[in-house]
Protein backbone atom coordinates (compact mmCIF):
# COMPACT_ATOMS: atom_id res chain seq x y z
CA UNK A 1 0.00 0.00 0.00
CA UNK A 2 1.22 3.47 -0.85
CA UNK A 3 0.28 6.36 1.38
CA UNK A 4 -2.13 8.56 -0.51
CA UNK A 5 -0.82 12.04 -1.18
CA UNK A 6 2.82 11.16 -0.56
CA UNK A 7 3.55 9.19 -3.69
CA UNK A 8 2.36 10.07 -7.16
CA UNK A 9 0.43 7.34 -8.93
CA UNK A 10 2.51 5.64 -11.64
CA UNK A 11 0.05 6.86 -14.26
CA UNK A 12 0.94 10.45 -13.32
CA UNK A 13 4.63 9.66 -13.64
CA UNK A 14 4.56 7.83 -16.98
CA UNK A 15 4.06 9.78 -20.16
CA UNK A 16 1.26 8.63 -22.44
CA UNK A 17 2.68 5.58 -24.26
CA UNK A 18 -0.63 4.20 -25.49
CA UNK A 19 0.30 4.83 -29.15
CA UNK A 20 3.55 2.80 -28.90
CA UNK A 21 4.19 -0.92 -29.45
CA UNK A 22 6.90 -3.20 -28.12
CA UNK A 23 9.61 -4.44 -30.52
CA UNK A 24 8.75 -7.96 -31.76
CA UNK A 25 11.96 -10.02 -31.94
CA UNK A 26 12.39 -13.31 -33.81
CA UNK A 27 11.62 -16.25 -31.50
CA UNK A 28 14.44 -17.87 -29.51
CA UNK A 29 15.42 -21.54 -29.38
CA UNK A 30 14.70 -22.08 -25.67
CA UNK A 31 11.32 -20.42 -25.84
CA UNK A 32 10.16 -22.52 -28.81
CA UNK A 33 11.72 -25.76 -27.48
CA UNK A 34 9.84 -25.39 -24.21
CA UNK A 35 6.55 -24.65 -25.96
CA UNK A 36 6.73 -27.72 -28.21
CA UNK A 37 8.65 -29.97 -25.80
CA UNK A 38 11.62 -30.30 -28.18
CA UNK A 39 15.36 -30.70 -27.54
CA UNK A 40 16.98 -27.24 -27.98
CA UNK A 41 20.12 -28.91 -29.37
CA UNK A 42 18.11 -30.39 -32.23
CA UNK A 43 16.60 -27.07 -33.28
CA UNK A 44 17.57 -24.79 -36.14
CA UNK A 45 17.08 -21.03 -35.69
CA UNK A 46 17.04 -18.99 -38.88
CA UNK A 47 14.81 -16.19 -37.61
CA UNK A 48 17.13 -13.34 -36.53
CA UNK A 49 19.75 -13.09 -39.30
CA UNK A 50 22.53 -14.08 -36.88
CA UNK A 51 25.87 -15.49 -38.02
CA UNK A 52 25.53 -19.30 -38.26
CA UNK A 53 29.29 -19.75 -37.74
CA UNK A 54 29.14 -18.08 -34.32
CA UNK A 55 31.52 -15.38 -33.07
CA UNK A 56 34.96 -15.00 -34.66
CA UNK A 57 37.40 -17.34 -32.83
CA UNK A 58 39.77 -14.40 -32.24
CA UNK A 59 36.98 -12.48 -30.49
CA UNK A 60 36.21 -15.41 -28.20
CA UNK A 61 39.86 -15.70 -27.27
CA UNK A 62 40.14 -11.97 -26.58
CA UNK A 63 37.03 -12.09 -24.38
CA UNK A 64 38.49 -14.93 -22.29
CA UNK A 65 41.81 -13.16 -21.97
CA UNK A 66 40.38 -9.83 -20.86
CA UNK A 67 37.47 -10.94 -18.72
CA UNK A 68 39.01 -9.37 -15.60
CA UNK A 69 38.68 -5.94 -17.17
CA UNK A 70 34.92 -6.23 -16.85
CA UNK A 71 35.26 -4.11 -13.71
CA UNK A 72 36.69 -1.05 -15.46
CA UNK A 73 35.19 1.66 -17.65
CA UNK A 74 36.62 1.76 -21.16
CA UNK A 75 38.23 5.11 -21.98
CA UNK A 76 41.43 4.70 -23.97
CA UNK A 77 40.08 1.43 -25.33
CA UNK A 78 37.00 3.18 -26.76
CA UNK A 79 39.23 5.64 -28.62
CA UNK A 80 41.53 2.88 -29.90
CA UNK A 81 38.71 0.72 -31.22
CA UNK A 82 37.02 3.72 -32.81
CA UNK A 83 40.22 4.33 -34.71
CA UNK A 84 40.29 0.71 -35.95
CA UNK A 85 36.63 0.87 -36.97
CA UNK A 86 37.21 4.14 -38.84
CA UNK A 87 40.11 2.52 -40.69
CA UNK A 88 37.93 -0.45 -41.65
CA UNK A 89 35.13 1.86 -42.82
CA UNK A 90 37.64 4.06 -44.65
CA UNK A 91 36.29 7.12 -42.85
CA UNK A 92 37.84 9.92 -40.76
CA UNK A 93 37.87 9.01 -37.06
CA UNK A 94 36.32 12.42 -36.24
CA UNK A 95 33.23 11.38 -38.19
CA UNK A 96 32.95 7.89 -36.68
CA UNK A 97 30.65 7.24 -33.71
CA UNK A 98 30.06 4.01 -31.76
CA UNK A 99 26.94 2.64 -30.08
CA UNK A 100 25.33 -0.36 -28.40
CA UNK A 101 24.37 -1.95 -31.71
CA UNK A 102 23.18 0.07 -34.69
CA UNK A 103 20.01 0.45 -32.61
CA UNK A 104 22.00 2.33 -29.98
CA UNK A 105 23.31 4.61 -32.72
CA UNK A 106 19.77 5.28 -34.03
CA UNK A 107 18.68 6.16 -30.48
CA UNK A 108 21.50 8.62 -30.00
CA UNK A 109 21.02 10.24 -33.41
CA UNK A 110 17.30 10.67 -32.70
CA UNK A 111 18.14 12.20 -29.34
CA UNK A 112 20.35 14.69 -31.18
CA UNK A 113 17.86 15.52 -33.97
CA UNK A 114 14.24 14.76 -33.07
CA UNK A 115 11.92 16.52 -30.65
CA UNK A 116 8.16 16.82 -30.18
CA UNK A 117 6.43 17.26 -33.50
CA UNK A 118 9.34 16.15 -35.71
CA UNK A 119 8.87 13.37 -38.25
CA UNK A 120 11.10 10.73 -39.82
CA UNK A 121 10.52 8.79 -43.06
CA UNK A 122 11.20 5.05 -43.23
CA UNK A 123 10.69 2.06 -45.54
CA UNK A 124 7.54 -0.08 -45.52
CA UNK A 125 8.06 -3.01 -45.16
CA UNK A 126 11.12 -2.25 -43.07
CA UNK A 127 12.97 -2.42 -39.80
CA UNK A 128 10.69 -1.29 -36.95
CA UNK A 129 13.26 0.29 -34.68
CA UNK A 130 13.60 3.52 -36.72
CA UNK A 131 10.02 4.36 -35.78
CA UNK A 132 10.48 3.37 -32.14
CA UNK A 133 13.67 5.41 -31.73
CA UNK A 134 11.92 8.52 -33.11
CA UNK A 135 8.77 7.99 -31.03
CA UNK A 136 10.86 7.54 -27.89
CA UNK A 137 11.89 11.18 -28.10
CA UNK A 138 8.46 12.55 -29.09
CA UNK A 139 8.78 12.20 -32.87
CA UNK A 140 6.59 10.33 -35.33
CA UNK A 141 7.24 8.20 -38.40
CA UNK A 142 5.85 8.28 -41.93
CA UNK A 143 6.69 5.66 -44.53
CA UNK A 144 7.46 5.15 -48.21
CA UNK A 145 6.59 1.95 -50.07
CA UNK A 146 8.84 -0.87 -51.29
CA UNK A 147 5.89 -2.45 -53.05
CA UNK A 148 5.24 -6.17 -53.18
CA UNK A 149 3.40 -5.67 -56.51
CA UNK A 150 6.73 -4.54 -57.88
CA UNK A 151 8.69 -7.53 -56.54
CA UNK A 152 9.82 -5.32 -53.61
CA UNK A 153 11.89 -3.16 -55.95
CA UNK A 154 13.47 -0.31 -53.98
CA UNK A 155 13.27 3.02 -55.83
CA UNK A 156 14.49 6.53 -55.11
CA UNK A 157 11.36 7.92 -56.78
CA UNK A 158 9.12 6.18 -54.24
CA UNK A 159 11.11 7.76 -51.41
CA UNK A 160 11.07 11.24 -52.94
CA UNK A 161 7.35 11.05 -53.84
CA UNK A 162 6.50 10.17 -50.23
CA UNK A 163 8.68 12.92 -48.75
CA UNK A 164 6.89 15.67 -46.87
CA UNK A 165 9.55 17.56 -44.91
CA UNK A 166 10.73 14.81 -42.55
CA UNK A 167 13.98 15.52 -40.68
CA UNK A 168 15.52 12.07 -41.16
CA UNK A 169 15.00 9.77 -44.17
CA UNK A 170 16.09 6.17 -43.54
CA UNK A 171 17.31 4.12 -46.50
CA UNK A 172 18.07 0.47 -45.69
CA UNK A 173 20.30 -1.14 -48.27
CA UNK A 174 20.01 -4.13 -48.35
CA UNK A 175 16.55 -3.77 -46.81
CA UNK A 176 15.18 -6.00 -44.04
CA UNK A 177 12.98 -8.05 -44.67
CA UNK A 178 12.95 -7.74 -48.48
CA UNK A 179 16.69 -8.03 -49.28
CA UNK A 180 16.34 -5.33 -51.96
CA UNK A 181 18.97 -2.61 -52.48
CA UNK A 182 19.37 0.98 -53.64
CA UNK A 183 22.27 2.03 -55.86
CA UNK A 184 24.59 4.86 -54.83
CA UNK A 185 23.11 6.97 -57.65
CA UNK A 186 19.65 6.49 -56.18
CA UNK A 187 20.88 7.31 -52.68
CA UNK A 188 22.37 10.55 -54.05
CA UNK A 189 19.16 11.29 -55.91
CA UNK A 190 17.23 11.03 -52.63
CA UNK A 191 19.76 13.27 -50.86
CA UNK A 192 19.54 15.82 -53.71
CA UNK A 193 15.75 15.95 -53.62
CA UNK A 194 14.91 15.92 -49.91
CA UNK A 195 15.83 18.28 -47.07
CA UNK A 196 17.21 16.80 -43.91
CA UNK A 197 19.49 13.90 -43.10
CA UNK A 198 19.57 10.79 -45.30
CA UNK A 199 20.51 7.94 -42.95
CA UNK A 200 21.68 4.87 -44.86
CA UNK A 201 21.44 1.65 -42.82
CA UNK A 202 24.10 -0.76 -44.10
CA UNK A 203 23.50 -3.51 -41.49
CA UNK A 204 23.73 -6.09 -44.30
CA UNK A 205 26.20 -4.24 -46.52
CA UNK A 206 28.99 -6.85 -46.26
CA UNK A 207 26.72 -9.43 -47.92
CA UNK A 208 25.88 -7.22 -50.91
CA UNK A 209 27.72 -6.49 -54.12
CA UNK A 210 27.24 -2.73 -53.66
CA UNK A 211 29.68 0.07 -52.94
CA UNK A 212 29.20 1.63 -49.52
CA UNK A 213 27.58 5.04 -49.10
CA UNK A 214 30.36 5.99 -46.64
CA UNK A 215 32.11 7.90 -49.43
CA UNK A 216 29.03 10.15 -49.70
CA UNK A 217 29.12 11.30 -46.06
CA UNK A 218 31.32 14.31 -46.83
CA UNK A 219 28.43 15.79 -48.86
CA UNK A 220 27.23 16.80 -45.37
CA UNK A 221 23.67 15.45 -45.63
CA UNK A 222 24.23 11.66 -45.56
CA UNK A 223 25.11 9.37 -42.63
CA UNK A 224 25.78 5.61 -42.74
CA UNK A 225 25.16 3.09 -39.94
CA UNK A 226 26.66 -0.40 -39.70
CA UNK A 227 26.70 -3.22 -37.17
CA UNK A 228 28.81 -6.12 -35.90
CA UNK A 229 25.62 -8.14 -35.31
CA UNK A 230 25.37 -9.79 -38.72
CA UNK A 231 28.50 -10.50 -40.82
CA UNK A 232 30.80 -10.11 -37.80
CA UNK A 233 28.93 -12.59 -35.59
CA UNK A 234 28.67 -10.44 -32.47
CA UNK A 235 24.91 -9.77 -32.12
CA UNK A 236 25.00 -10.56 -28.41
CA UNK A 237 27.82 -8.10 -27.73
CA UNK A 238 25.77 -5.11 -29.03
CA UNK A 239 28.23 -3.17 -31.16
CA UNK A 240 27.37 -0.77 -33.97
CA UNK A 241 28.82 2.38 -35.47
CA UNK A 242 28.05 5.15 -37.89
CA UNK A 243 29.92 7.56 -40.12
CA UNK A 244 28.22 10.94 -39.83
CA UNK A 245 28.73 14.57 -40.95
CA UNK A 246 30.89 16.83 -38.72
CA UNK A 247 28.04 18.67 -36.97
CA UNK A 248 26.21 15.44 -36.17
CA UNK A 249 29.39 13.86 -34.76
CA UNK A 250 29.76 16.84 -32.43
CA UNK A 251 26.09 16.65 -31.35
CA UNK A 252 26.38 12.87 -30.87
CA UNK A 253 29.17 13.32 -28.34
CA UNK A 254 26.96 15.73 -26.36
CA UNK A 255 23.94 13.43 -26.03
CA UNK A 256 25.39 9.90 -25.98
CA UNK A 257 25.16 7.78 -22.80
CA UNK A 258 28.54 7.75 -21.00
CA UNK A 259 30.32 4.46 -21.81
CA UNK A 260 27.58 3.30 -24.17
CA UNK A 261 29.77 0.42 -25.40
CA UNK A 262 31.05 -2.10 -22.83
CA UNK A 263 34.71 -2.92 -22.19
CA UNK A 264 34.43 -6.58 -23.25
CA UNK A 265 32.40 -5.62 -26.29
CA UNK A 266 35.20 -3.32 -27.42
CA UNK A 267 37.77 -6.11 -26.98
CA UNK A 268 35.59 -8.48 -29.02
CA UNK A 269 35.01 -5.97 -31.83
CA UNK A 270 38.69 -5.12 -32.04
CA UNK A 271 39.67 -8.79 -32.29
CA UNK A 272 36.91 -9.45 -34.85
CA UNK A 273 38.35 -6.78 -37.13
CA UNK A 274 41.68 -8.63 -37.14
CA UNK A 275 40.01 -11.97 -37.93
CA UNK A 276 39.08 -11.43 -41.55
CA UNK A 277 39.10 -15.20 -42.26
CA UNK A 278 35.92 -15.55 -40.25
CA UNK A 279 34.09 -12.82 -42.19
CA UNK A 280 35.26 -14.23 -45.49
CA UNK A 281 34.05 -17.70 -44.55
CA UNK A 282 30.74 -16.18 -43.51
CA UNK A 283 30.31 -14.34 -46.81
CA UNK A 284 31.11 -17.49 -48.78
CA UNK A 285 28.55 -19.47 -46.81
CA UNK A 286 25.89 -16.78 -47.29
CA UNK A 287 26.49 -16.66 -51.03
CA UNK A 288 26.09 -20.44 -51.23
CA UNK A 289 22.99 -20.36 -49.00
CA UNK A 290 21.13 -17.62 -50.89
CA UNK A 291 21.58 -19.55 -54.09
CA UNK A 292 20.59 -22.84 -52.47
CA UNK A 293 17.43 -21.35 -50.94
CA UNK A 294 16.50 -19.65 -54.21
CA UNK A 295 16.98 -22.77 -56.31
CA UNK A 296 15.72 -25.47 -53.97
CA UNK A 297 12.65 -23.89 -52.38
CA UNK A 298 9.43 -24.63 -54.23
CA UNK A 299 7.79 -21.37 -53.04
CA UNK A 300 8.56 -17.96 -54.57
CA UNK A 301 11.82 -16.45 -53.25
CA UNK A 302 12.51 -12.73 -53.77
CA UNK A 303 16.01 -11.69 -54.90
CA UNK A 304 18.18 -10.72 -51.92
CA UNK A 305 21.60 -9.19 -51.34
CA UNK A 306 21.49 -9.87 -47.58
CA UNK A 307 22.09 -13.01 -45.46
CA UNK A 308 18.40 -13.95 -45.65
CA UNK A 309 15.66 -14.40 -48.20
CA UNK A 310 11.98 -13.47 -48.12
CA UNK A 311 9.67 -16.30 -49.19
CA UNK A 312 6.03 -16.04 -50.31
CA UNK A 313 4.16 -18.95 -48.71
CA UNK A 314 0.67 -18.06 -50.00
CA UNK A 315 -1.97 -19.45 -50.12
CA UNK A 316 -0.86 -20.54 -46.63
CA UNK A 317 -0.37 -17.82 -44.01
CA UNK A 318 3.03 -17.08 -42.52
CA UNK A 319 1.62 -17.69 -39.05
CA UNK A 320 0.49 -21.23 -39.93
CA UNK A 321 3.69 -22.07 -41.74
CA UNK A 322 5.96 -20.69 -39.01
CA UNK A 323 4.03 -22.61 -36.32
CA UNK A 324 4.19 -25.86 -38.26
CA UNK A 325 7.93 -25.38 -38.86
CA UNK A 326 8.46 -24.73 -35.14
CA UNK A 327 6.85 -28.08 -34.30
CA UNK A 328 9.41 -29.60 -36.67
CA UNK A 329 12.27 -27.81 -34.91
CA UNK A 330 12.91 -25.06 -37.48
CA UNK A 331 12.44 -21.43 -36.37
CA UNK A 332 11.85 -18.86 -39.12
CA UNK A 333 10.63 -15.26 -39.01
CA UNK A 334 6.93 -14.79 -39.63
CA UNK A 335 6.83 -11.33 -41.28
CA UNK A 336 3.25 -10.52 -40.24
CA UNK A 337 4.62 -7.81 -37.91
CA UNK A 338 6.27 -6.24 -41.00
CA UNK A 339 2.85 -6.12 -42.69
CA UNK A 340 3.53 -9.24 -44.80
CA UNK A 341 1.24 -11.99 -43.43
CA UNK A 342 1.93 -14.22 -46.44
CA UNK A 343 5.73 -14.23 -46.19
CA UNK A 344 8.44 -15.75 -44.02
CA UNK A 345 12.05 -14.56 -43.75
CA UNK A 346 14.74 -17.22 -43.48
CA UNK A 347 18.43 -16.51 -42.96
CA UNK A 348 21.23 -18.67 -44.29
CA UNK A 349 22.37 -21.20 -41.69
CA UNK A 350 25.19 -23.74 -41.77
CA UNK A 351 24.99 -25.98 -44.84
CA UNK A 352 23.26 -28.75 -42.86
CA UNK A 353 20.79 -26.39 -41.20
CA UNK A 354 19.95 -24.62 -44.46
CA UNK A 355 19.31 -27.94 -46.20
CA UNK A 356 17.11 -29.15 -43.36
CA UNK A 357 15.12 -25.89 -43.43
CA UNK A 358 14.54 -26.15 -47.18
CA UNK A 359 13.30 -29.72 -46.84
CA UNK A 360 10.89 -28.84 -44.03
CA UNK A 361 9.60 -25.66 -45.73
CA UNK A 362 8.93 -27.56 -48.97
CA UNK A 363 7.19 -30.28 -46.94
CA UNK A 364 5.00 -27.81 -45.06
CA UNK A 365 4.14 -25.68 -48.09
CA UNK A 366 3.95 -28.50 -50.60
C1 LIG B 1 19.85 -6.28 -37.47
C2 LIG B 1 19.59 -4.91 -37.99
C3 LIG B 1 20.19 -3.80 -37.43
C4 LIG B 1 21.23 -3.85 -36.35
O1 LIG B 1 20.88 -4.16 -35.16
P1 LIG B 1 21.92 -4.08 -33.95
O2 LIG B 1 21.28 -3.13 -33.02
O3 LIG B 1 23.23 -3.58 -34.45
O4 LIG B 1 22.00 -5.48 -33.48
C5 LIG B 1 19.99 -2.55 -38.00
N1 LIG B 1 19.20 -2.41 -39.06
C6 LIG B 1 18.60 -3.45 -39.63
C7 LIG B 1 17.79 -3.24 -40.84
C8 LIG B 1 18.75 -4.74 -39.11
O5 LIG B 1 18.11 -5.76 -39.67
Amino acid sequence: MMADGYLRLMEDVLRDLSHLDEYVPGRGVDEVAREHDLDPDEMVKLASNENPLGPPPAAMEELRENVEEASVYPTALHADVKEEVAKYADAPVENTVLGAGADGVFDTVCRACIEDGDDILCPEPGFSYYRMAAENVGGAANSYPIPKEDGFRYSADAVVNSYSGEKIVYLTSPNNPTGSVLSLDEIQQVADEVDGLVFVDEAYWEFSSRDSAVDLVDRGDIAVARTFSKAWGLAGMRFGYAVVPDELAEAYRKVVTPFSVGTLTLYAADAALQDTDHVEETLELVEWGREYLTEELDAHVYPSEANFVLIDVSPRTAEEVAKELERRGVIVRDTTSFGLPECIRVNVGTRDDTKRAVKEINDVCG
Side-chain angles (χ1 to χ4, degrees):
M1 281 289 284
M2 305 276 171
D4 231 36
Y6 287 94
L7 265 183
R8 284 169 183 273
L9 294 170
M10 257 340 267
E11 64 190 60
D12 295 333
V13 175
L14 286 167
R15 62 189 173 96
D16 179 11
L17 302 174
S18 56
H19 59 297
L20 303 185
D21 295 312
E22 288 179 38
Y23 180 76
V24 187
R27 302 198 68 196
V29 167
D30 290 331
E31 171 192 3
V32 175
R34 230 167 282 153
E35 183 181 324
H36 299 287
D37 203 20
L38 299 167
D39 177 358
D41 293 337
E42 298 286 297
M43 304 201 55
V44 173
K45 183 193 176 197
L46 304 176
S48 298
N49 303 339
E50 292 150 341
N51 190 320
L53 301 178
M60 289 194 271
E61 168 128 16
E62 194 75 356
L63 284 169
R64 281 188 210 104
E65 249 169 49
N66 291 287
V67 68
E68 289 185 8
E69 292 206 36
S71 60
V72 300
Y73 288 119
T75 45
L77 183 62
H78 187 276
D80 292 348
V81 174
K82 191 198 287 201
E83 209 161 295
E84 292 303 315
V85 167
K87 234 183 264 170
Y88 167 69
D90 202 14
V93 69
E94 305 76 40
N95 297 83
T96 306
V97 297
L98 309 184
D103 293 349
V105 173
F106 298 142
D107 257 347
T108 307
V109 169
C110 278
R111 213 184 299 167
C113 300
I114 302 295
E115 57 193 342
D116 273 342
D118 289 337
D119 290 341
I120 63 152
L121 187 67
C122 47
E124 179 77 51
F127 188 54
S128 63
Y129 198 70
Y130 310 135
R131 171 185 298 272
M132 293 174 71
E135 288 174 341
N136 285 345
V137 289
N142 305 319
S143 67
Y144 60 85
I146 302 180
K148 185 168 189 230
E149 311 81 77
D150 212 3
F152 295 115
R153 200 175 70 80
Y154 207 149
S155 93
D157 288 341
V159 182
V160 170
N161 291 339
S162 303
Y163 184 74
S164 58
E166 288 84 355
K167 269 190 157 179
I168 302 178
V169 176
Y170 285 93
L171 304 177
T172 318
S173 182
N175 185 49
N176 175 10
T178 61
S180 36
V181 292
L182 273 178
S183 69
L184 285 194
D185 283 347
E186 286 183 295
I187 290 169
Q188 293 196 77
Q189 183 197 331
V190 173
D192 288 342
E193 295 183 30
V194 306
D195 307 318
L197 176 72
V198 171
F199 207 160
V200 185
D201 181 351
E202 293 188 347
Y204 300 97
W205 170 73
E206 283 90 348
F207 304 110
S208 81
S209 63
R210 305 296 164 142
D211 289 333
S212 170
V214 164
D215 284 347
L216 303 177
V217 171
D218 62 10
R219 285 174 50 118
D221 56 358
I222 292 179
V224 178
R226 300 227 193 108
T227 178
F228 274 47
S229 296
K230 311 286 159 57
W232 295 94
L234 291 174
M237 298 304 302
R238 314 302 304 127
F239 187 70
Y241 63 100
V243 182
V244 304
D246 297 336
E247 300 89 334
L248 181 51
E250 195 179 318
Y252 194 99
R253 289 191 287 271
K254 289 184 182 172
V255 299
V256 71
T257 322
F259 307 108
S260 59
V261 183
T263 302
L264 293 179
T265 297
L266 289 164
Y267 275 113
D270 195 29
L273 280 171
Q274 322 298 329
D275 193 355
T276 47
D277 286 353
H278 187 264
V279 175
E280 275 162 30
E281 205 180 320
T282 303
L283 300 187
E284 227 167 85
L285 176 65
V286 165
E287 200 166 315
W288 167 84
R290 276 192 313 228
E291 201 173 304
Y292 187 86
L293 288 159
T294 306
E295 283 176 5
E296 302 295 326
L297 282 167
D298 298 330
H300 181 69
V301 177
Y302 292 94
S304 167
E305 293 206 22
N307 63 342
F308 56 80
V309 294
L310 186 66
I311 304 162
D312 192 330
V313 296
S314 57
R316 310 273 322 257
T317 67
E319 197 185 349
E320 276 169 12
V321 169
K323 263 277 162 299
E324 179 57 34
L325 286 169
E326 278 180 7
R327 279 191 282 271
R328 294 162 178 246
V330 176
I331 309 174
V332 302
R333 183 71 193 255
D334 163 2
T335 57
T336 303
S337 71
F338 289 85
L340 301 171
E342 66 294 330
C343 291
I344 57 172
R345 192 193 67 199
V346 179
N347 67 265
V348 175
T350 60
R351 283 169 203 252
D352 284 351
D353 288 355
T354 306
K355 288 176 183 174
R356 178 166 155 211
V358 165
K359 188 184 151 300
E360 298 291 3
I361 294 168
N362 282 344
D363 237 35
V364 168
C365 294

